[in-house]
Amino acid sequence: MGRAMVRLDPAYTVGPVRPRTFGSFVEHMGRCVYTGIYEPDHPDADELGFRTDVARLVRELGVTVVRYPGGNFVSNYRWEDGIGPKADRPTQLDLAWRSVETNQVGTDDFVDWARGVGVEPMMAVNLGTRGVQEAIDLLLYCNADTGTSWPDRRAKNGHTEPHDIRVWCLGNEMDGPWQMGHKTAEEYARVAEEAARAMRRVDPGLELVACGSSNRGMPTFGTWERVVLERCFDLVDHISAHAYYEPVDGDVDSFLASGEDMHRFIESVVATADHVAAVRGSDKRIMVSFDEWNVWFQERFHGESSLEVREAPELIEDVYDVTDAVVVGSLLITLLQHTDRVSMACQAQLVNVIAPIATRPGGAAWKQTIFHPFALTARYARGTVLRPAVACDVVETKAFGPVDSLVVTATHDPDTGDLTVFVVNRSRTETSELTLDVAAAVGGHPTAYALVEHLQVHDDDPSATNTEDHPDRVTPRPGDAAVDVTAGTTLTATLPPTSWHCIRLTEGTVQ
């Protein structure tokens, strides 16, 4: 039995909880769009063809912002093909995923869907096979008032008022040789600089995201970020980071510690951005947009060239178990731990394709195991992220050496007094007895807390999954936690192996 002590004090903070941390990603890939969010022949389709059963789950998931339309797809996408009457839209070959793209969902349709489910649209432009002019045209179509050609076309297509999209990604993974229009750092920096400058001429208030490295293992990682920011520093607000995790060669202990890699990734990008700022003598702080992250079993995917050309194929529809859910929960904790520099994050993707929501064409929609830590974190992380002091056992890992057995963060809402603790036990063998000390003084009196709820994602079988026939096999269940009733300043909880926890407390005062 392991033992752990965590001390929290609302005076020791990291930064605000950023709503855009709980973003997602919709790409024209596999069945994410077609038979995912959109299926006009489905019994639950709305008048626009979008599945209302999926929309209900998206709202329950708590997604705040959705990146669109890619992803690799965007780098050979002609956005003009996806506007206007659906009967007039051309069918095209998508080179990224070797799929037949019908263009029945495009810019206006996506924005309608996003507004309908209450999420902010985040748009990416094609800087692969296209460039500055096409980016300007799309921005004018989306954000300009009527009176010129592109916004007048938008009005003709049924949207008189601008879409007013605030966040724009300047391409996607342009350092990757798999990308259509792949570029060197210098080539990408130049086109991103020119696109950003022109887009700001159209709409100065945009938030722009420059492409960072596709992953931390890229041979150009670090150099890429430096070169891009040296050209674009004054024109962009964020730089992207992407990471996917899996148990490489069956190494589950390192897989459960994936947050260590994400932490080092963020720290490296921040250090590089701040180096560029220091050289320029600037106080500006470039933020990290971690706009692709998830568990993805890439060893099961044999590459784009192996794919047969089809329309809306079943593509990387990984089925997630309890261990995967615990890893996803730990990655969310890591993102919150870096809320001072991570401005937004997008779990990739939303439906079917490595996703928290799964669907059957013409049939049901259900929650994968990874749905639950995301939904509860999005629901209860409010106010300010605290900086806990943690003392616990360690777990030995092949990839990262010894790491803490527990990964912990907490949020405090000063308006309500609510305190929420998120914690993962990433040991596969040891239960941990957690003691949580929350005896911080407020107004000269120690603050007392009452336990509201302790929910955990855990199963005696860490390989348990949810399926269409058994959609609630894995679901959040009550955990074992108690507060010292005499003082209200100490909580104890039992954390079984390979488990994720959300512990909610509410504030009072000890007299």
Side-chain angles (χ1 to χ4, degrees), residues 100-112:
V100 174
E101 173 54 54
T102 65
N103 285 301
Q104 292 303 287
V105 172
T107 300
D108 294 318
D109 312 290
F110 169 73
V111 173
D112 286 341

Side-chain angles (χ1 to χ4, degrees), residues 172-475:
N172 174 78
E173 293 188 358
M174 298 309 300
D175 62 334
W178 55 84
Q179 203 73 202
M180 298 299 104
H182 159 64
K183 292 174 172 57
T184 66
E186 291 79 9
E187 290 168 339
Y188 170 72
R190 175 65 173 157
V191 71
E193 177 187 29
E194 292 306 315
R197 181 177 290 110
M199 292 172 75
R200 290 207 181 280
R201 186 71 62 89
V202 174
D203 189 339
L206 298 178
E207 292 184 56
L208 299 180
V209 184
C211 285
S213 297
S214 304
N215 59 74
R216 186 168 168 250
M218 294 296 290
T220 57
F221 175 62
T223 299
W224 175 279
E225 281 77 4
R226 176 185 59 78
V227 170
V228 169
L229 288 177
E230 284 174 346
R231 293 296 296 258
C232 300
F233 187 87
D234 293 326
L235 294 166
V236 302
D237 307 283
H238 319 265
I239 189 161
S240 69
H242 295 175
Y244 295 100
Y245 298 101
E246 63 182 318
V248 177
D249 297 327
D251 183 0
V252 178
D253 289 326
S254 295
F255 176 51
L256 283 164
S258 296
E260 295 297 316
D261 179 84
M262 179 181 272
H263 162 74
R264 297 174 192 184
F265 194 168
I266 294 168
E267 292 285 295
S268 296
V269 174
V270 167
T272 304
D274 287 352
H275 164 75
V276 176
V279 170
R280 301 170 71 91
S282 174
D283 292 331
K284 180 178 179 179
R285 291 294 175 260
I286 298 290
M287 303 295 282
V288 177
S289 174
F290 219 115
D291 47 43
E292 285 190 38
W293 69 269
N294 206 350
V295 171
W296 174 13
F297 295 91
Q298 296 183 67
E299 63 182 16
R300 302 173 186 170
F301 179 60
H302 300 296
E304 297 87 346
S305 298
S306 68
L307 300 175
E308 178 186 348
V309 176
R310 290 185 295 161
E311 181 180 329
E314 292 188 9
L315 183 61
I316 60 171
E317 297 191 11
D318 287 346
V319 176
Y320 293 115
D321 63 17
V322 170
T323 300
D324 303 324
V326 171
V327 171
V328 164
S330 73
L331 295 173
L332 284 162
I333 290 172
T334 303
L335 291 168
L336 288 170
Q337 289 173 334
H338 290 276
T339 194
D340 55 331
R341 296 303 294 269
V342 174
S343 53
M344 51 190 142
C346 300
Q347 187 186 44
Q349 293 184 18
L350 183 59
V351 186
N352 288 325
V353 180
I354 51 171
I357 299 169
T359 72
R360 187 68 55 216
W366 65 97
K367 307 169 189 175
Q368 291 233 58
T369 61
I370 65 172
F371 183 103
H372 298 297
F374 189 108
L376 290 172
T377 307
R379 186 179 308 162
Y380 294 121
R382 292 289 183 270
T384 304
V385 180
L386 304 185
R387 192 182 303 277
V390 181
C392 63
D393 298 330
V394 299
V395 175
E396 292 292 336
T397 69
K398 180 180 178 181
F400 310 110
V403 301
D404 284 351
S405 60
L406 302 189
V407 56
V408 186
T409 194
T411 64
H412 178 253
D413 187 341
D415 295 330
T416 64
D418 291 343
L419 179 69
T420 305
V421 182
F422 303 99
V423 56
V424 159
N425 181 3
R426 48 193 182 186
S427 170
R428 290 198 292 153
T429 57
E430 293 293 327
T431 296
S432 182
E433 289 296 324
L434 171 67
T435 300
L436 180 68
D437 182 356
V438 291
V442 177
H445 299 280
T447 303
Y449 288 88
L451 179 66
V452 176
E453 187 176 39
H454 174 197
L455 293 173
Q456 65 179 8
V457 175
H458 169 72
D459 196 278
D460 290 340
D461 178 6
S463 64
T465 64
N466 291 340
T467 64
E468 182 178 7
D469 294 333
H470 300 284
D472 296 319
R473 169 66 176 83
V474 178
T475 194

Side-chain angles (χ1 to χ4, degrees), residues 53-129:
D53 57 342
V54 172
R56 285 192 295 271
L57 291 179
V58 172
R59 294 187 189 99
E60 184 180 345
L61 186 61
V63 171
T64 55
V65 61
V66 173
R67 181 169 169 251
Y68 176 87
N72 295 352
F73 174 83
V74 77
S75 292
N76 77 141
Y77 179 49
R78 292 175 50 86
W79 68 269
E80 306 96 317
D81 292 343
I83 61 173
K86 296 197 177 202
D88 297 339
R89 299 181 190 180
T91 296
Q92 302 283 18
L93 173 64
D94 164 42
L95 300 178
W97 301 111
R98 290 176 52 79
S99 298
V100 174
E101 173 54 54
T102 65
N103 285 301
Q104 292 303 287
V105 172
T107 300
D108 294 318
D109 312 290
F110 169 73
V111 173
D112 286 341
W113 172 83
R115 303 299 191 200
V117 297
V119 304
E120 177 186 6
M122 176 181 179
M123 190 68 69
V125 299
N126 178 356
L127 295 185
T129 60

